[in-house]
Amino acid sequence: MTAGVEILATAGGATLQDGGRRGYLRYGVHVAGPMDRAAFAMANAAAGAVPGAAAIEISIGGLELTPRGRAVRLAIAGGDFIVRHGERQLSAGCRLTVQPGERLSVKAGTAGMWCYLAFCDRLDLPQALGAHATHARTGIGGLAGRGLRAGDFLPLAPSPAEGPADGAFAIADPAAGAPIRVMLGPQDDFFAPDQIAAFFAAEWTVSPKCDRMAYFLNGPKLAHLKGFNIISDGIAMGAIQVPGNGLPIVLMADCQPTGGYPKIANVITADLGRFAQMRPGTRFRFQAVAWEAARAAKRRLLDAMAGIELRALARAPDLSSERLLGLNLVGGVWGPGHEARPL
């Protein structure tokens, strides 16, 4: 019998995602990948998987599964989701082994929009254009280019690594509750200074109209200085478009490659995951930062993610070329006792 996991139930919104589909934007194919890259990386690292390996992204619709053929080792990280394994109730931020026939459920808890379930073993499915990332609007990647549903079976190839032991893990987010940091542009000149000031002064609310493509915001309507149409240009995750109705739209992981509305600002990389985890009804503010601050924040995030990888490597040393080439080993040296020290 082929080993793997069977999806028993989901209310929708669960997809297979990996590090994303690179090199195809010029053909109109977007990157896709996880909504919260830091949580995705944490789940893979905790599972002892190769960085960027395919995992299940679970939305607030939840997911229930069971192993078939043999036990499955996995890790779960992301929003404040509730994990049930038999009679046990856990929180996201856990590693566990699930035996064949046992049921594992992951359901929305008090906060967060996305949760990641990563496997120690490798997902044994064909890639589409070099990636497993699901882009459901175009039917590319994942399992038949769609979200997961009850009855689906995900085969798993055995991993050579032993994998980390079961247990809980957690990394605090020091920026929780802080404003979402952005850099102005590239079309902030389409808005008068008083409208840019209003953009930063306002308390915005995440609309119920939000998905992997975009989060629509409710708040004061911004007036355009030069109209609301531009020659379509490139769009990246985190771009904040302002269409004709004056209400901002924040583009997310499944956004289109180009767009024709002026972009007043872009959410910085370090805050994209935190923004993605905001549920409808969440209130927040934007804060302007300079390029140097955005770069420093991204560097801190990458260093934290690299630290997760190094700790996972220490727990489950898989020294294959594939594993080592996927790690960032430049940020430190090994000191006495094998702790990582910054250069």
Side-chain angles (χ1 to χ4, degrees), residues 20-45:
R21 187 168 287 103
R22 308 289 175 173
Y24 294 93
L25 278 174
R26 62 186 180 275
Y27 304 117
V29 180
H30 213 275
V31 175
M35 291 283 278
D36 184 343
R37 289 186 174 272
F40 167 80
M42 186 186 302
N44 265 328

Side-chain angles (χ1 to χ4, degrees), residues 203-246:
E203 183 178 65
W204 299 98
T205 304
V206 178
S207 162
K209 190 177 181 182
C210 60
D211 59 16
R212 280 185 49 87
M213 183 174 184
Y215 281 21
F216 288 68
L217 304 182
N218 290 329
K221 294 183 178 181
L222 302 177
H224 297 81
L225 184 63
K226 304 179 182 180
F228 59 87
N229 285 311
I230 63 171
I231 296 174
S232 292
D233 63 0
I235 289 282
M237 183 178 179
I240 305 174
Q241 290 185 319
V242 183
N245 66 3

Side-chain angles (χ1 to χ4, degrees), residues 4 9 14 34 57 63 68 84 99 139 173 230 300 306 320 323-324:
E57 180 180 80
L63 183 85
R68 300 297 187 202
R84 293 187 184 277
Q99 299 294 332
D173 179 4
I230 63 171
R300 287 192 296 271
S320 65
R323 172 81 169 148
L324 292 174

Side-chain angles (χ1 to χ4, degrees), residues 80-311:
D80 186 17
F81 280 55
I82 298 170
V83 180
R84 293 187 184 277
H85 175 213
E87 299 299 318
R88 295 194 300 162
Q89 179 171 314
L90 309 167
S91 297
C94 61
R95 291 182 296 269
L96 62 159
T97 302
V98 186
Q99 299 294 332
E102 293 182 340
R103 300 169 78 96
L104 176 76
S105 71
V106 182
K107 297 182 179 180
T110 58
M113 282 282 287
W114 309 97
C115 193
Y116 296 88
L117 190 156
F119 300 101
C120 178
D121 296 333
R122 177 178 57 83
L123 187 71
D124 194 14
L125 286 172
Q127 295 182 332
L129 299 179
H132 286 111
T134 305
H135 191 274
R137 278 182 167 80
T138 53
I140 295 175
L143 191 65
R146 58 168 173 79
L148 299 176
R149 57 195 184 202
D152 286 341
F153 180 76
L154 306 179
L156 294 169
S159 168
E162 181 180 343
D166 291 1
F169 61 91
I171 293 182
D173 179 4
I180 297 297
R181 293 168 291 182
V182 301
M183 289 180 58
L184 280 171
Q187 286 97 29
D188 53 305
D189 59 334
F190 273 66
F191 304 89
D194 66 319
Q195 295 303 294
I196 292 178
F199 173 74
F200 289 113
E203 183 178 65
W204 299 98
T205 304
V206 178
S207 162
K209 190 177 181 182
C210 60
D211 59 16
R212 280 185 49 87
M213 183 174 184
Y215 281 21
F216 288 68
L217 304 182
N218 290 329
K221 294 183 178 181
L222 302 177
H224 297 81
L225 184 63
K226 304 179 182 180
F228 59 87
N229 285 311
I230 63 171
I231 296 174
S232 292
D233 63 0
I235 289 282
M237 183 178 179
I240 305 174
Q241 290 185 319
V242 183
N245 66 3
L247 293 175
I249 304 170
V250 184
L251 280 301
M252 302 305 288
D254 281 357
C255 67
Q256 71 276 19
T258 62
Y261 296 130
K263 296 173 285 297
I264 191 171
N266 283 261
V267 178
I268 68 171
T269 300
D271 283 3
L272 278 174
R274 187 161 57 89
F275 177 77
Q277 292 289 2
M278 291 184 176
R279 291 185 180 179
T282 302
R283 297 180 179 181
F284 70 97
R285 296 181 186 274
F286 289 113
Q287 176 187 350
V289 297
W291 177 80
E292 293 81 4
R295 182 179 65 171
K298 180 179 179 180
R299 181 71 265 168
R300 287 192 296 271
L301 176 65
L302 292 176
D303 286 347
M305 291 166 64
I308 297 168
E309 293 296 340
L310 289 170
R311 289 193 293 275

